[in-house]
């Protein structure tokens, strides 16, 4: 074992100090949050009356209190809550931002103007038909009919009725109306858009609106917003941590229609320079229109933008629009102190070509740049612009320019939106559930800590210190990256902590093996770390590949999980291979010994796993088939509201209630309860749709409404609450998310297969993938039978399972690979059995520590975390089973089928990692360097 350098110790100390500094604000926030229920219990409805004057005006304050005694008493009673809430907001701003499920945020519902959207689609169809007639040189006149999805077509030249009839018939799949020659000749003819076409267009419009809103919301820099369809014409937006719904609305529904139009050559004659308005009595030239403008200039004395309203005479047809815009950004022009902030534009290839053509043909003319029908600047085209770039100099503030560039990049909305509701809501899980979840994680962590200390003694204490630093590093990286912590992110931390425990267990079990082989403790420590290095590297890199695949898809739960898992795996490699080793070496150098504990589970295990394959493989098949049969009998998989949609009610209670009380009252599928911040006893309740009772002829929506009322009546009484509004809503991520989840698993499996093929042999990769599919399928089936619905939280838990299952399997495979190169006199079956028995204690310990935490979440974490905990619990059990009873037997069968060629290939293959510089200062697995034992 090589002496530890001062540089390594300094790096560990520096990382620890930085991690402490970055995580301390988050720790303070959680400590403050645990008192939330005590203060929210103080809330009562506010009496009507004026707001109190500022505290600095004592006289006015006393007068207000005398005039409003009831209101003054209310404020006095609520002073502790407001003080707590103010402090909570201050701490939250410095802590790691939480996701919507953990902290709440802005909740906005927007309505699409369906009538205008349909009218726009019909008008676009009308224009397309007219262009088709004009291309055929047939004179027609078309007119949109107000208030209905129809237009009128008048054939101006009746000599072309036959050609007109043939041409209009090409549109018969999209419109209805007479298309024969007689009707066209008699004219005008009314054509209506087909009902199916109308429905298709509305669906496309809603999808387009949702996509545009998603892009605009994402441009705000927020993480993991929820954007869902409500009914047929509404979009619901929930943004975590956001507290300004009006700012969100202004950004989301802003049209941002961009146009470039030529200023008429006589504009300077027609516009009065003194007023900036059209001269009295002036007539607009043909083909022009008067357009308002807004010119801004910075007042150097007040440092505020001052605007002047003007008018421009523009040609009535745009030369270029924002349809060809590629990007937009904010720049500062230091040469224009009166108007320094500009929005820069960059066009795509087609836009660049058109812009170059326009600026070349109209060199010397004024070109107006319009935003939402208002001229923001009108520069003179001094030179042709060939690079596809332009700027808008509109008298912007920094915030205005930033918001405008974001909206321009997101593109125009395909339909007009109106505000239906706006509010600030609490956490999806509820404050009590969050505290319960944190308590459950602490209990689970405490159980793991006690076990590691009892089982491994001093080495266990060292591993606990390394684990604490591991979590701190994850949180510190998240703080630096301004990443959002969600429930799925906690799942990612849970997995990486489990893998960190696994790394320490692997190391200590290796040291114990070296001691049992007769090596002195100093040498055993170095050898143990070196031999554990390969398997720790393989398991972490394989899981990191999975995380990197998941990071390519920024869907809410998947992204949150992948983000924390990536950070955690990087932290694992540092703490497991550097921190733990350094602390062990320092302890040994000071004390001359290192207590590795006296307990040893399965130290003399000698189970015939290979022979048991004759039972385990049929058992897995029977279990899967049996679960499928039972699930089919129960009606198949049950999707939560995330995937199937559901029913939403806005409920106000007459008495103080908590989220957990409401959850306890509900016995409905996938309920989700959120408190409306700023309102007393008002909650949003989402539940999955239920089927109507037998013989009851009502819709699912009505049946769900009646069931919810029954549940609330039984707990709170019919007079204990009021349903202020309710509606059905569509899936948040649509069934397309299921396709995405399948794609993710497929791509992750390919990455695992490729890595294991490269590091091991193809057989190991194939066996690992089969075991992974087996685990995922069984967990989904058994979890559904355990009343778990398929929701975004379930998907996050399945991602945890994916990483755990692969890690568990690789540990066994690595020992088989190593044993094949040392046990030349053993058959492959014997090597597999020996390897699985050697790693059995590590497998049980690692799975047990994960179960400690998942069971704590299940029994202490509350209803909000129950589904997540159930999936983790099943995954820990099934993943452990498959590593020994399925994956390795499959490798054995492959080797037997190939005539023992797999064993021969493994024995001949040299690992590149053995040539790398070791942790302990000598080649991995080799003899100690001369004199090293005496250091």
């Amino acid at each position: 074992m090589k002496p530890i350098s001062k540089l390594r110790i300094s790096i560990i100390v520096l990382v620890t100090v930085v991690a402490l500094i970055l995580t301390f604000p988050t720790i303070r926030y959680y400590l403050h949050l645990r008192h939330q229920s005590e203060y929210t219990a103080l809330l009562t409805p506010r009496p009507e009356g004026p707001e109190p004057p500022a505290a600095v005006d004592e006289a006015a304050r006393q007068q207000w209190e005398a005039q409003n005694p009831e209101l003054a008493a209310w404020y006095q009673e609520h002073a502790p809550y407001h003080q707590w809430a103010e402090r909570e907001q201050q701490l939250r701003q410095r802590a790691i931002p939480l996701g919507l499920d953990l902290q709440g945020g802005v909740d906005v519902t927007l309505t699409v103007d369906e009538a205008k959207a349909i009218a726009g689609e019909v008008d676009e169809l009308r224009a397309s038909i007219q262009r088709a007639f004009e291309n055929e040189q047939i004179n027609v006149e078309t007119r949109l009919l107000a208030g209905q999805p129809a237009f009128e077509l008048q054939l101006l030249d009746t000599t072309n009725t036959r050609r007109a009839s043939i041409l209009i018939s090409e549109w018969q799949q999209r419109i209805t109306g007479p298309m024969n020659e007689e009707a066209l000749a008699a004219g005008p003819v009314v054509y209506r858009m087909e009902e199916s076409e109308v429905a298709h267009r509305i669906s496309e419009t809603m999808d387009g609106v949702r996509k545009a809103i998603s892009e605009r919301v994402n441009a705000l820099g927020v993480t993991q917003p929820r954007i869902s369809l409500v009914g047929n014409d509404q979009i619901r937006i929930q943004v975590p941590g956001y507290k300004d719904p009006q700012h969100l609305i202004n950004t989301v529904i802003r049209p941002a229609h961009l146009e470039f139009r030529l200023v008429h050559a006589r504009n300077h004659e027609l516009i009065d320079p003194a007023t900036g308005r059209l001269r009295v009595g002036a007539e607009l030239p043909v083909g022009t229109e008067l357009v308002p403008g807004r010119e801004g200039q910075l007042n150097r004395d007040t440092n505020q933008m001052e605007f002047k309203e003007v008018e421009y005479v523009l040609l009535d047809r745009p030369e270029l629009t924002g349809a060809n815009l590629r990007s937009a950004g904010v720049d500062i022009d230091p040469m224009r102190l009166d108007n320094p902030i500009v929005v820069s534009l960059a066009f795509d290839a087609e836009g660049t070509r058109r812009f170059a053509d326009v600026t070349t043909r109209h060199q010397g003319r004024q070109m107006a740049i319009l935003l939402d029908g208002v001229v923001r600047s009108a520069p003179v085209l001094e030179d042709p612009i060939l690079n596809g770039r332009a700027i808008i100099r509109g008298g912007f503030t920094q915030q205005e320019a930033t918001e405008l560039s974001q909206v321009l990049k997101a593109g125009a909305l395909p339909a007009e939106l109106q505000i239906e509701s706006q509010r600030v809501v609490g956490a999806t899980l509820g404050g009590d559930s969050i505290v319960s979840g944190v308590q459950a994680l602490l209990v689970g962590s405490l159980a793991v800590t006690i076990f590691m200390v009892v089982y491994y003694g001093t080495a266990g204490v060292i591993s606990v210190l390394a684990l604490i630093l591991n979590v701190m590093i994850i949180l510190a990286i998240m703080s630096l990256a301004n990443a959002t912590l969600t429930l799925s992110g906690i799942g990612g931390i849970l997995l990486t902590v489990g893998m960190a425990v696994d790394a320490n267990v692997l190391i200590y079990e290796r040291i114990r093996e070296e001691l049992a082989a007769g090596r002195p403790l100093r040498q055993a420590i170095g050898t143990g770390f070196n031999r554990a290095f390969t398997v720790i590297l393989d398991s972490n890199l394989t899981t990191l590949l999975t995380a990197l695949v998941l990071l390519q898809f920024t869907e809410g739960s998947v992204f949150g999980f992948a983000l924390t898992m990536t950070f955690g795996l990087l932290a694992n490699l540092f703490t497991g291979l550097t921190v733990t080793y350094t602390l062990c070496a320092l302890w040994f150098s000071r004390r001359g010994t290192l207590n590795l504990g006296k307990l040893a589970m399965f130290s003399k295990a000698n189970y015939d796993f290979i022979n048991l394959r004759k039972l385990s493989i049929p058992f897995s098949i029977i279990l899967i088939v049996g679960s499928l049969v039972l699930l089919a009998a129960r009606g198949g998989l049950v999707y939560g509201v995330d995937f199937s949609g559901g029913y939403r009610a806005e409920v106000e209670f007459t008495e103080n209630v908590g989220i957990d009380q409401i959850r306890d009252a509900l016995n409905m599928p996938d309920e989700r309860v959120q408190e409306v911040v700023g309102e007393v006893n008002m909650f949003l309740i989402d539940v999955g749709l239920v089927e109507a009772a037998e013989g009851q002829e009502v819709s699912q929506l009505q049946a769900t409404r009646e069931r919810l009322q029954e549940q609330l009546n039984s707990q709170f009484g019919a007079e204990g609450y009021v349903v202020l509004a309710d509606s059905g809503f569509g899936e948040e991520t649509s069934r397309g998310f299921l396709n995405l989840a399948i794609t993710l698993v497929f791509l992750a499996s390919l990455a695992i297969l490729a890595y294991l093929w490269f590091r091991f042999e193809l057989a190991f990769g194939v066996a690992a993938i089969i075991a992974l599919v087996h685990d995922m399928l069984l967990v989904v089936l058994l979890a559904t039978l355990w009343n778990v619905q398929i929701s975004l939280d379930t998907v996050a838990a399945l991602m945890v399972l994916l990483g755990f299952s692969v890690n568990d399997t690789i540990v066994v495979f690595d020992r088989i690979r190593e044993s094949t190169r040392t046990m030349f006199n053993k058959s492959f079956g014997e090597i597999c059995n020996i390897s699985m028995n050697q790693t059995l204690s590590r497998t049980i310990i690692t799975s047990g520590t994960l179960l400690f935490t998942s069971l704590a979440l299940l029994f202490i974490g509350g209803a909000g975390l129950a589904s997540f905990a159930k999936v983790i619990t099943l995954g820990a059990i099934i993943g452990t089973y498959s590593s020994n009873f399925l994956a390795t037997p499959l490798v054995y069968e492959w080797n037997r089928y190939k005539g023992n060629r797999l064993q021969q290939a493994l024995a001949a293959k040299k690992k590149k990692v053995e040539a790398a510089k070791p942790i302990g200062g000598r080649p991995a697995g080799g003899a100690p360097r001369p004199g090293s034992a005496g250091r």
Side-chain angles (χ1 to χ4, degrees):
M1 183 173 62
K2 198 174 182 181
I4 302 301
S5 69
K6 292 182 179 180
L7 177 61
R8 176 179 288 191
I9 296 174
S10 300
I11 291 173
I12 293 174
V13 171
L14 179 62
V15 169
T16 303
V17 171
V18 172
L20 274 171
I21 293 172
L22 292 173
T23 56
F24 183 67
T26 300
I27 295 172
R28 291 181 64 191
Y29 174 67
Y30 280 121
L31 291 175
H32 185 78
L33 193 66
R34 63 180 177 168
H35 300 293
Q36 181 174 3
S37 58
E38 302 172 20
Y39 289 95
T40 53
L42 301 174
L43 293 177
T44 57
R46 179 187 183 278
E48 294 184 4
E51 292 290 331
V56 293
D57 192 344
E58 185 62 29
R61 181 86 181 187
Q62 291 177 358
Q63 182 180 2
W64 175 84
E65 290 177 353
Q67 295 173 348
N68 303 276
E70 185 180 356
L71 196 56
W74 184 88
Y75 272 100
Q76 183 66 29
E77 179 185 345
H78 284 73
Y81 169 78
H82 292 301
Q83 292 170 2
W84 177 88
E86 183 178 356
R87 182 62 176 157
E88 187 269 342
Q89 185 175 5
Q90 293 172 352
L91 292 174
R92 175 161 37 85
Q93 289 174 348
R94 293 193 290 271
I96 295 173
L98 303 177
L100 190 68
D101 49 358
L102 298 181
Q103 74 162 328
V106 165
D107 186 311
V108 174
T109 302
L110 303 171
T111 300
V112 175
D113 192 328
E114 192 170 314
K116 285 188 176 180
I118 293 175
E121 294 291 343
V122 174
D123 193 38
E124 184 178 330
L125 179 62
R126 174 203 60 79
S128 298
I129 292 175
Q130 176 149 345
R131 282 195 298 271
F133 273 85
E134 290 174 351
N135 290 338
E136 293 293 325
Q137 298 183 345
I138 303 175
N139 292 331
V140 295
E141 185 178 83
T142 58
R143 181 174 63 88
L144 191 66
L145 298 182
Q148 51 183 314
F151 64 91
E152 188 179 79
L153 184 145
Q154 173 72 57
L155 191 62
L156 301 180
D157 184 1
T158 56
T159 60
N160 289 315
T161 54
R162 179 174 176 77
R163 288 173 57 206
S165 174
I166 295 172
L167 184 58
I168 197 65
S169 297
E170 295 177 1
W171 301 82
Q172 60 184 346
Q173 300 297 325
R174 301 172 63 183
I175 59 176
T176 60
M179 300 180 183
N180 55 68
E181 296 181 42
E182 293 77 11
L184 288 169
V189 181
V190 174
Y191 293 105
R192 304 182 64 85
M193 184 180 282
E194 283 274 9
E195 292 185 6
S196 59
E197 181 71 13
V198 171
H200 174 69
R201 291 286 181 165
I202 289 297
S203 176
E204 280 191 342
T205 298
M206 292 300 294
D207 287 341
V209 169
R210 181 177 173 177
K211 181 176 182 294
I213 288 177
S214 297
E215 291 175 350
R216 292 187 177 192
V217 172
N218 290 334
L220 292 172
V222 298
T223 306
Q224 298 181 354
R226 291 180 183 268
I227 301 173
S228 56
L229 298 176
V230 180
N232 296 322
D233 61 348
Q234 290 185 335
I235 301 283
R236 186 187 188 195
I237 309 165
Q238 290 182 296
V239 181
Y242 223 63
K243 301 301 179 185
D244 188 356
Q246 191 57 52
H247 178 259
L248 176 68
I249 289 170
N250 291 341
T251 302
V252 166
I253 70 174
R254 183 175 181 175
H257 183 58
L258 176 67
E259 287 184 331
F260 292 81
R261 293 164 67 172
L262 288 172
V263 178
H264 194 271
R266 293 181 54 212
N267 181 77
H268 64 287
E269 301 174 11
L270 300 170
I271 301 298
D272 187 341
T275 63
R277 307 281 178 164
L278 185 69
R279 294 181 186 273
V280 178
E283 293 186 3
L284 294 177
V286 177
T288 66
E289 61 178 318
L290 193 64
V291 178
R294 188 167 181 256
E295 295 180 351
Q297 188 171 354
L298 182 67
N299 187 319
R300 303 297 303 281
D301 296 329
T302 63
N303 201 34
Q304 298 290 323
M305 295 300 303
E306 295 180 351
F307 296 95
K308 178 183 177 182
E309 304 297 329
V310 295
E311 293 177 335
Y312 288 89
V313 179
L314 306 181
L315 301 189
D316 59 6
R317 187 170 60 185
E319 300 291 336
L320 193 65
T321 69
N324 296 110
L325 197 64
R326 177 169 55 84
S327 65
V330 181
D331 289 327
I332 304 296
D333 185 354
M335 305 302 294
R336 293 289 298 271
L337 298 180
D338 61 331
N339 197 350
I341 301 176
V342 298
V343 176
S344 59
L345 309 175
F347 294 98
D348 58 18
E350 174 63 19
T352 299
R353 185 191 63 77
R354 293 179 60 184
F355 198 51
D357 178 62
V358 170
T359 55
T360 300
R361 285 190 293 109
H362 301 289
Q363 188 174 346
R365 293 279 300 273
Q366 238 181 322
M367 174 73 78
I369 305 175
L370 288 78
L371 285 170
D372 303 330
V374 177
V375 176
R376 298 305 295 264
S377 60
V380 176
L381 300 175
E382 297 176 352
D383 297 297
I385 302 176
L386 308 178
N387 61 359
R389 296 185 177 276
I391 61 171
I392 309 175
R393 196 184 305 278
F396 301 112
T397 63
Q398 182 70 39
Q399 181 177 351
E400 287 174 338
T402 301
E403 292 174 3
L404 175 61
S405 65
Q406 291 170 350
V407 173
L408 285 173
K409 282 188 288 187
L413 289 172
E416 188 174 330
L417 297 174
Q418 298 172 346
I419 304 167
E420 183 69 22
S421 66
Q422 54 177 307
R423 56 173 73 88
V424 179
V425 297
T428 305
L429 295 178
D432 293 342
S433 292
I434 296 171
V435 174
S436 298
V438 173
Q439 289 174 346
L441 288 173
L442 290 176
V443 169
S445 300
L446 180 61
V448 172
T449 299
I450 293 172
F451 173 81
M452 293 295 289
V453 173
V454 170
Y455 197 83
Y456 288 113
T458 305
V461 175
I462 290 174
S463 67
V464 170
L465 294 175
L467 287 176
I468 293 172
L469 179 58
N470 186 286
V471 175
M472 289 173 56
I473 291 174
I474 296 173
L475 297 178
I477 296 175
M478 293 188 69
S479 179
L480 284 173
N482 198 32
T484 298
L485 181 63
T486 63
L487 175 63
S488 58
I490 292 175
I493 295 176
L494 182 64
L495 173 62
T496 52
V497 168
M499 293 186 66
V501 170
D502 184 46
N504 284 278
V505 171
L506 284 167
I507 291 167
Y508 295 153
E509 289 298 316
R510 279 293 193 170
I511 296 175
R512 283 180 166 187
E513 288 179 16
E514 297 302 320
L515 290 173
R519 292 181 184 269
L521 180 58
R522 175 189 293 271
Q523 189 175 334
I525 293 173
T527 305
F529 272 91
N530 282 321
R531 293 197 169 179
F533 174 81
T534 303
V535 64
I536 293 172
L537 184 67
D538 281 336
S539 60
N540 279 271
L541 286 182
T542 307
T543 312
L544 185 60
L545 283 174
T546 305
L548 294 176
V549 170
L550 300 180
L551 277 176
Q552 304 307 308
F553 302 88
T554 55
E555 292 287 349
S557 294
V558 174
F559 185 77
F561 168 78
L563 195 66
T564 52
M565 187 167 69
T566 302
F567 294 157
L569 292 170
L570 296 175
N572 278 357
L573 293 174
F574 175 72
T575 57
L577 300 176
T578 301
V579 176
T580 302
Y581 175 78
T582 301
L583 293 177
C584 286
L586 286 174
W587 184 271
F588 179 82
S589 65
R590 296 291 176 89
R591 298 299 183 93
T593 185
L594 178 66
N595 180 15
L596 288 160
K598 302 298 183 183
L599 298 177
M601 294 188 301
F602 303 103
S603 59
K604 296 181 180 180
N606 187 26
Y607 301 106
D608 191 353
F609 290 100
I610 294 301
N611 196 41
L612 286 173
R613 78 188 188 282
K614 299 173 183 177
L615 297 176
S616 61
I617 294 177
F619 173 74
S620 291
I621 295 173
I622 291 171
L623 189 59
I624 291 174
V625 173
S627 299
L628 286 171
V629 171
L630 286 175
L631 196 60
R634 291 181 50 173
L637 295 176
V638 181
Y639 295 100
V641 295
D642 294 338
F643 296 118
S644 63
Y647 169 76
R648 172 172 298 125
E650 185 176 331
V651 183
E652 183 177 10
F653 292 86
T654 55
E655 302 291 339
N656 285 339
V657 296
I659 287 181
D660 286 340
Q661 287 179 266
I662 300 173
R663 281 206 188 97
D664 292 341
L666 299 177
N667 183 22
M668 301 188 69
D670 202 24
E671 67 263 9
R672 179 185 295 149
V673 185
Q674 284 180 283
E675 182 181 7
V676 179
V677 178
E679 301 289 343
V680 179
N681 295 328
M682 186 179 294
F683 298 86
L684 299 177
I685 302 176
D686 293 349
V687 295
L689 296 174
V690 300
E691 297 291 340
E694 189 174 348
Q696 189 179 16
E697 296 183 1
V698 296
S699 65
Q700 275 190 306
L701 191 62
Q702 181 61 30
T704 307
R705 180 184 292 114
E706 293 174 358
R707 173 77 69 83
L708 178 64
Q709 291 174 352
E710 289 174 8
Q711 302 292 341
L712 293 177
N713 289 344
S714 64
Q715 179 71 24
F716 305 103
E719 304 299 324
Y721 69 94
V722 177
V723 178
L724 302 178
D726 66 344
S727 64
F729 63 93
E731 62 273 17
E732 291 196 11
T733 53
S734 78
R735 293 300 179 89
F737 190 91
L738 292 179
N739 297 330
L740 174 62
I742 294 171
T743 302
L744 290 175
V745 173
F746 176 73
L747 292 178
S749 299
L750 285 181
I752 294 168
L753 178 64
Y755 184 83
L756 292 182
W757 191 355
F758 171 73
R759 293 285 290 151
F760 295 79
E761 290 290 334
L762 178 60
F764 289 94
V766 173
I769 299 305
I770 293 174
L772 175 63
V773 173
H774 164 274
D775 295 351
M776 299 281 278
L777 181 59
L778 260 183
V779 168
V780 170
L781 294 174
L782 295 179
T784 304
L785 294 174
W786 198 4
N787 299 320
V788 173
Q789 298 182 344
I790 307 300
S791 65
L792 292 179
D793 293 342
T794 311
V795 171
L798 287 173
M799 296 299 106
V800 177
L801 161 63
L802 188 150
F804 175 80
S805 176
V806 172
N807 176 67
D808 208 34
T809 302
I810 285 177
V811 171
V812 179
F813 284 175
D814 187 85
R815 183 59 69 96
I816 293 173
R817 178 178 60 179
E818 179 184 326
S819 299
T820 305
R821 291 163 178 165
T822 58
M823 300 179 181
F824 299 106
N825 59 338
K826 300 287 186 182
S827 68
F828 192 69
E830 290 174 317
I831 291 174
C832 289
N833 274 327
I834 292 172
S835 300
M836 285 187 282
N837 280 289
Q838 286 176 337
T839 58
L840 185 59
S841 60
R842 167 263 153 206
T843 300
I844 299 300
I845 291 171
T846 301
S847 301
T849 53
L850 183 60
L851 276 173
F852 284 154
T853 309
S854 65
L855 291 175
L857 284 173
L858 181 59
F859 293 110
I860 304 174
L865 295 170
S867 295
F868 184 83
K870 286 179 180 180
V871 175
I872 297 294
T873 301
L874 287 171
I877 297 171
I878 295 172
T880 303
Y881 160 80
S882 69
S883 298
N884 290 287
F885 292 96
L886 184 63
T888 304
L890 288 174
V891 174
Y892 170 79
E893 289 292 348
W894 181 297
N895 179 71
R896 194 174 68 158
Y897 176 74
K898 292 291 185 179
N900 212 39
R901 279 183 290 179
L902 177 60
Q903 182 180 4
Q904 297 168 5
L906 284 174
K909 193 172 183 180
K910 299 297 182 182
K911 295 185 292 182
K912 294 181 181 180
V913 72
E914 292 177 351
K917 185 177 179 180
I919 297 173
R922 62 182 177 78
R929 290 194 284 194
S932 64
R935 290 180 183 174

